[in-house]
Amino acid sequence: MTYLLLALFGGLSGITTVLFGFGGGFVVVPVLYGVLTSGAGGSLAEAAAMHVAVATSTCVMIVNASLSTRRSARAGTLLSAWLWPLAGFIAVGSCVGALAAGFVTGSALRVAFIVYLAITIIDCLGRRGFVSRTVEGEPRRPGRWATGPGGIVIGAIATFLGVGGSVMTVPLLRRCGLSMTQATAMANPLSLPVALIGTLTYMLAGTMSVSKLGVGYIGYVNLIAFAVLTCGAWFGMRLAARWVGRIPDQLHARVYVGLLVVVMLSMVVA
């Protein structure tokens, strides 16, 4: 039953990766945290549930974001000139966030995740430019401050929480004048530095931990959960591909915010 649940939510993560650029973190972290805290992974895994959920999430994100990036490149929805140097600054920030995550408890990580979501939801609804586009004419590339310091902050927070950074890159690109289809497509390649650095860090941190989680883990990454979630995600991405570009822009933005609310509430009651 646990594996079926993970497969179903893996499929949902694939859908959200393609349509919303989430990469899987906002779906995988809450469900895997819930599974582990129910005792399904053993006492050690339950004690480190949030770290395992975040680590496995970043590992799933590598596959999801890579496959979605490939699909977007073929479809021509990526603006390659916008990816660099923003992706480089996000990578730098990812190193900072990965180091910081090793100094906090699972409870603190969970609270940070919830607070981060709440702030993002309020920002999307409260500021102009997200739900409806306000930029006239051609989209403008992010400025120097948004690219440099902004990219570092995005990478640090995203890796610290294991969420890929799409909740910051999508609103940023949206306010630069991109459609939701373009902004969500761009979020996936920008999430790859976070996924790669986050996964490596959590693997090393778990391996060096005094209380190692044992067989079926590389560091904090649960390999069985990773495999099941990834298989489910592959089917979800194939299902969602037919809807890319067909959802009205404003509805796309509203559903994006609605999904953030659902994920936040699921973590509050977990």
Side-chain angles (χ1 to χ4, degrees):
M1 187 64 182
T2 298
Y3 295 136
L4 177 60
L5 180 68
L6 290 177
L8 289 173
F9 277 91
L12 181 58
S13 78
I15 292 171
T16 60
T17 296
V18 171
L19 296 181
F20 303 101
F22 280 173
F26 284 103
V27 176
V28 172
V29 171
V31 69
L32 194 51
Y33 177 82
V35 167
L36 293 170
T37 51
S38 69
S43 58
L44 286 177
E46 185 175 354
M50 195 61 188
H51 284 83
V52 172
V54 172
T56 307
S57 164
T58 59
C59 200
V60 172
M61 202 185 305
I62 294 174
V63 179
N64 286 5
S66 296
L67 291 176
S68 188
T69 296
R70 183 184 179 192
R71 193 209 64 79
S72 297
R74 287 179 170 179
T77 53
L78 292 182
L79 302 175
S80 55
W82 288 44
L83 294 177
W84 189 262
L86 182 57
F89 284 108
I90 289 175
V92 172
S94 297
C95 295
V96 176
L99 292 172
F103 295 96
V104 298
T105 64
S107 298
L109 205 56
R110 175 171 169 266
V111 171
F113 190 91
I114 293 169
V115 171
Y116 171 60
L117 282 172
I119 292 172
T120 302
I121 292 165
I122 292 169
D123 181 68
C124 287
L125 294 175
R127 282 206 296 168
R128 295 180 61 201
F130 185 81
V131 174
S132 58
R133 297 168 69 182
T134 58
V135 176
E136 300 292 338
E138 290 295 318
R140 61 174 189 275
R141 292 177 62 175
R144 183 177 300 175
W145 283 97
T147 300
I152 292 173
V153 170
I154 289 170
I157 294 176
T159 306
F160 184 81
L161 299 177
V163 294
S166 61
V167 220
M168 287 176 285
T169 55
V170 171
L172 170 65
L173 297 173
R174 178 75 168 158
R175 291 191 179 97
C176 289
L178 297 186
S179 67
M180 281 297 293
T181 298
Q182 291 174 311
T184 53
M186 294 283 286
N188 285 304
L190 292 173
S191 293
L192 279 172
V194 173
L196 290 166
I197 293 171
T199 299
L200 179 61
T201 301
Y202 277 108
M203 282 182 172
L204 292 174
T207 301
M208 293 185 293
S209 173
V210 175
S211 55
K212 294 181 176 62
L213 295 172
V215 179
Y217 285 85
I218 297 180
Y220 285 115
V221 176
N222 185 312
L223 296 177
I224 297 176
F226 164 74
V228 175
L229 287 162
T230 301
C231 288
W234 184 80
F235 284 103
M237 283 189 278
R238 289 183 64 86
L239 180 65
R242 67 188 67 183
W243 294 101
V244 175
R246 296 185 179 183
I247 304 174
D249 191 71
Q250 195 169 78
L251 175 62
H252 199 167
R254 291 182 184 278
V255 174
Y256 181 96
V257 177
L259 286 174
L260 295 185
V261 173
V262 170
V263 175
M264 184 185 71
L265 293 176
S266 71
M267 286 301 294
V268 169
V269 301

